[in-house]
């Protein structure tokens, strides 16, 4: 059911990224191309990794895209889950849980001590799902982000 993504999966991963962006009401922000995803996942220096969930009929049901982070407090790497997505018609079949189980297995096998991700505060079904697995919100932290003009300005490119 769960396998490591291969280069031939890039088009379906790209399509699911677009589907996820639409679900999150942010399709206008999803600008990555298939070429960029291919380079990030399979280029000379991969920046991210992906796993594919397949249904019993061999169809792609969902994916997880992740990268390594590092905890100065723990002194070891962890996994940051950038995207977890299961197509609506395939939800409830255990694919999301299987993807998270695979990432947790990788963490345990490699000695990573954290598996982290963000979820939109209005996404009640996903929050309930994550909490059912034992994940807990980190309410004391607020995510900040620099993009576009603010990033360019701070970086001296304006």
């Amino acid at each position: 059911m769960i396998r490591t993504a291969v280069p031939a999966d890039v088009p379906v991963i790209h399509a699911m990224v677009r589907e996820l962006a639409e679900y999150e009401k942010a399709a206008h922000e999803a600008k990555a191309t298939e070429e960029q995803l291919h380079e990030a996942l399979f280029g000379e220096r991969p920046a991210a990794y992906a796993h594919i969930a397949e249904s019993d009929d061999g169809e792609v049901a969902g994916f997880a895209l992740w990268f390594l982070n590092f905890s100065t407090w723990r002194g070891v790497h962890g996994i940051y889950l950038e995207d977890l997505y299961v197509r609506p018609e395939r939800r409830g079949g255990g694919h999301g849980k299987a993807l998270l189980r695979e990432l947790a297995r990788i963490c345990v096998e490699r000695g990573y001590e954290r598996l982290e991700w963000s979820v939109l505060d209005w996404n009640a079904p996903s929050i309930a799902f994550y909490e059912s697995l034992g994940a807990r919100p980190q309410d004391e932290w607020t995510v900040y982000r620099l993009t576009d003009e603010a990033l360019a300005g701070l970086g001296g490119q304006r």
Side-chain angles (χ1 to χ4, degrees):
M1 180 186 290
I2 304 302
R3 62 176 175 78
T4 301
V6 297
D9 292 318
V10 169
V12 73
I13 293 170
H14 185 259
M16 288 188 291
V17 167
R18 301 285 308 164
E19 292 169 26
L20 176 59
E22 288 174 25
Y23 174 76
E24 292 183 348
K25 302 175 178 92
H28 62 284
E29 294 182 38
K31 299 177 182 179
T33 65
E34 286 185 23
E35 293 76 20
Q36 288 172 312
L37 285 175
H38 186 276
E39 182 64 24
L41 293 169
F42 303 107
E44 186 176 320
R45 297 176 63 199
Y49 308 91
H51 284 79
I52 299 292
E54 289 184 342
S55 295
D56 293 338
D57 59 9
E59 293 294 316
V60 173
F63 79 107
L65 193 143
W66 56 278
F67 54 88
L68 294 179
N69 60 14
F70 184 82
S71 170
T72 57
W73 291 11
R74 299 277 180 127
V76 296
H77 282 292
I79 287 177
Y80 186 84
L81 175 60
E82 179 67 19
D83 287 333
L84 175 69
Y85 180 73
V86 175
R87 289 184 153 150
E89 67 274 13
R90 301 294 184 162
R91 292 181 187 155
H95 303 294
K97 185 174 183 179
L99 285 163
L100 285 170
R101 181 180 290 124
E102 176 62 9
L103 297 186
R105 186 196 66 73
I106 291 168
C107 285
V108 171
E109 177 183 273
R110 297 181 186 178
Y112 303 162
E113 295 189 13
R114 290 183 178 166
L115 172 55
E116 298 179 307
W117 62 91
S118 297
V119 60
L120 291 165
D121 59 6
W122 55 259
N123 193 345
S126 292
I127 292 169
F129 167 64
Y130 297 143
E131 290 183 353
S132 77
L133 299 176
R136 295 294 169 249
Q138 302 297 298
D139 294 333
E140 66 275 14
W141 294 91
T142 300
V143 176
Y144 281 83
R145 177 179 294 156
L146 282 170
T147 62
D148 304 325
E149 293 83 25
L151 179 62
L154 186 60
Q157 300 299 312
R158 243 180 14 159

